[in-house]
Amino acid sequence: MKKYLLALSLLLAAAHAPAQVLPLREQAAVINQLLAERFDKLLPDMMAQTGIDMWIVVSREYNEDPVLKTMLPAEWLNARRRTVLLFYRDPASGRVERLAVARYNVGDSIAAAWDMKKFPDQWAALADLVRQRKPHKIALDTSRDFGHADGIDHTDYNELLQALPAEYRARVVSAEPLAVRWLETRTDSEMRIYPRMIEATHQIIAEGFSERVITPGVTTSEDVVWWFRQKIRDLGYDTWFHPSVEIQRQGKDQPDSGVILPGDLLHVDIGITYLRLNTDVQQHAYVLRPGETAAPAALVQAFTRANRLQDILTAQFRQGRTGNQVLAAALAQGRAENLNPVIYTHPIGYHGHAAGPTIGMWDMQGGVPGSGDEALRHRTAYSIELSAATAIDGYAQPVRMMLEEDAYFDQAGVRYIGGRQQELLLVPRRPPPAAQ
């Protein structure tokens, strides 16, 4: 009980202290508590919904299945030797056994179930557990459409099948529907943490796009990129991709150099990783020219058009609709309103580009086969990622407002987890030195 109360207090601390990243030991306690909740509260229903009564997840050390990686305790940075997890849902009680065909328990949630004296061979031990439980379906992590759900390697797959009794080999199915649900579904505890992560991401952007970091005529876009990367690390977070900073400038397709100048429109793509969750955000800033106190009206209007496209897209979210259906409806309305839309929205959670329905890719606006055919489900999170293009005098190409903000989808609809950018950030020019 004391251990549970400690973990609960740490969860609350993680949810209410955006400026303070927890020490690693406390982060581990939070991660393990979040994982225990997922095993207890999510997995049984997911197995019932998908009709899968046995799920076997296999990895060898340093070649981890993406699903298994999310199931390891925080103290395990990798699988150990060959790690085999077995989840069995008893159809009568609905209870899910969580077993490891391993030399030791996998954290506090998965019990070791390998009698090495009786079964020196690991696969033989697994086959015995299967025979005892007589599952109707044995799900393995194979998938054509989701790399996250395709984690069992060729060798393990073949050896596992060879070890199974013949009558059970025909019962092997893809775990894709179960694996996708496991990865995409967010718990209430995770959603108490997420707003703080997004607030931290927004704060990092606001500082990076300010005179504290940018000196027009001196600072380059690459300087800002590396400032973002270092700032994320210095604050105690990690990132799942290298940030990018782009410049749109009047008069040319691309700037001759990466030096940031007054009048530039800046764009950042950035994300942080914390407590096994990820953010993914894109925002814009305008570098004021001498005498300016606001961005030009044409850029402000272009930005407003991108906000409108966000509204069009999120209004199309319905449980049961596929990603491709949402994409087609949103694009049709965006085109009808002359927004020149491009939509490339994706789930987010354990991975930055996460499992679940894909809602367009920048180069696949007609729909995404496979992952785009996946249906939306409640209690899932998305990076609402898109762009609207506007022709503006003086720019060689239409100005693209590329926005991305993280949102949560449930029975109440879509809400931005930490708000969204609704006006351009401004980079004031550095004041001149005081007169001597």
Side-chain angles (χ1 to χ4, degrees), residues 127-149:
D128 184 65
L129 293 173
V130 172
R131 275 192 297 264
Q132 290 178 35
R133 285 152 185 80
K134 301 178 174 59
H136 297 289
K137 290 184 179 180
I138 302 171
L140 304 180
D141 285 348
T142 62
S143 173
R144 181 189 65 181
D145 298 322
F146 295 97
H148 322 74

Side-chain angles (χ1 to χ4, degrees), residues 14 28 244 248 250 276 290:
S244 65
Q248 294 183 77
Q250 282 186 310
R276 291 189 175 170

Side-chain angles (χ1 to χ4, degrees), residues 74-307:
E75 295 81 1
W76 286 38
L77 303 185
N78 301 95
R80 295 181 180 174
R81 300 187 187 182
R82 176 182 280 114
T83 298
V84 180
L85 306 182
L86 183 151
F87 304 97
Y88 174 68
R89 181 181 182 274
D90 183 275
S93 66
R95 177 176 170 270
V96 173
E97 281 187 286
R98 305 190 294 262
L99 305 175
V101 188
R103 294 165 175 77
Y104 19 66
N105 295 341
V106 179
D108 294 330
S109 295
I110 304 176
W114 183 6
D115 184 341
M116 298 183 67
K117 292 183 179 179
K118 185 176 181 181
F119 296 104
D121 180 76
Q122 190 176 19
W123 293 124
L126 173 63
D128 184 65
L129 293 173
V130 172
R131 275 192 297 264
Q132 290 178 35
R133 285 152 185 80
K134 301 178 174 59
H136 297 289
K137 290 184 179 180
I138 302 171
L140 304 180
D141 285 348
T142 62
S143 173
R144 181 189 65 181
D145 298 322
F146 295 97
H148 322 74
D150 194 36
I152 187 168
D153 67 35
H154 182 74
T155 299
D156 285 339
Y157 182 81
N158 287 338
E159 292 187 3
L160 192 158
L161 286 185
Q162 290 171 8
L164 285 178
E167 64 182 298
Y168 289 105
R169 291 174 195 159
R171 304 183 191 183
V172 171
V173 299
S174 168
E176 178 187 295
L178 178 54
V180 169
R181 281 171 172 79
W182 169 263
L183 294 173
E184 75 173 353
T185 306
R186 305 273 63 82
T187 64
D188 292 341
S189 293
E190 289 169 344
M191 293 313 300
R192 283 193 287 270
I193 293 169
Y194 241 130
R196 308 287 82 81
M197 292 179 59
I198 293 169
E199 180 182 354
T201 308
H202 287 171
Q203 289 174 349
I204 293 168
I205 292 173
E207 184 177 355
F209 279 171
S210 76
E211 67 274 19
R212 293 185 61 182
V213 175
I214 296 174
T215 301
V218 176
T219 307
T220 68
S221 58
E222 193 70 3
D223 292 336
V224 183
V225 165
W226 282 103
W227 182 91
F228 280 129
R229 184 77 180 269
Q230 189 66 51
K231 184 70 173 182
I232 290 168
R233 181 63 59 87
D234 290 347
L235 289 174
Y237 301 111
D238 206 343
T239 186
W240 58 278
F241 69 98
H242 188 60
S244 65
V245 173
E246 297 178 340
I247 300 171
Q248 294 183 77
R249 179 178 297 163
Q250 282 186 310
K252 295 184 179 181
D253 291 334
Q254 294 293 332
D256 290 333
S257 70
V259 176
I260 295 170
L261 300 176
D264 282 348
L265 178 67
L266 307 180
H267 165 263
V268 64
D269 189 354
I270 194 173
I272 66 172
T273 300
Y274 182 55
L275 301 175
R276 291 189 175 170
L277 299 173
N278 296 277
T279 68
D280 195 3
V281 175
Q282 295 180 44
Q283 294 190 349
H284 286 274
Y286 175 73
V287 184
L288 294 170
R289 290 187 171 97
E292 286 184 323
T293 58
L299 289 180
V300 173
Q301 179 59 29
F303 189 89
T304 300
R305 285 161 52 83
N307 278 159

Side-chain angles (χ1 to χ4, degrees), residues 302 305-306 309 338-342 387-391 397-401:
R305 285 161 52 83
L309 184 57
N338 297 314
L339 297 177
N340 299 314
V342 182
S387 70
T390 305
Q397 300 292 333
V399 172
R400 293 180 302 133
M401 291 294 178

Side-chain angles (χ1 to χ4, degrees), residues 338-392:
N338 297 314
L339 297 177
N340 299 314
V342 182
I343 294 172
Y344 33 101
T345 286
H346 58 85
I348 194 164
Y350 276 139
H351 303 94
H353 294 156
T358 300
I359 306 174
M361 293 184 180
W362 66 267
D363 57 347
M364 300 181 74
Q365 292 296 281
V368 182
S371 62
D373 297 318
E374 186 79 7
L376 277 71
R377 285 176 284 270
H378 290 150
R379 302 183 68 186
T380 51
Y382 295 83
S383 280
I384 305 300
E385 185 177 8
L386 48 77
S387 70
T390 305
I392 298 177

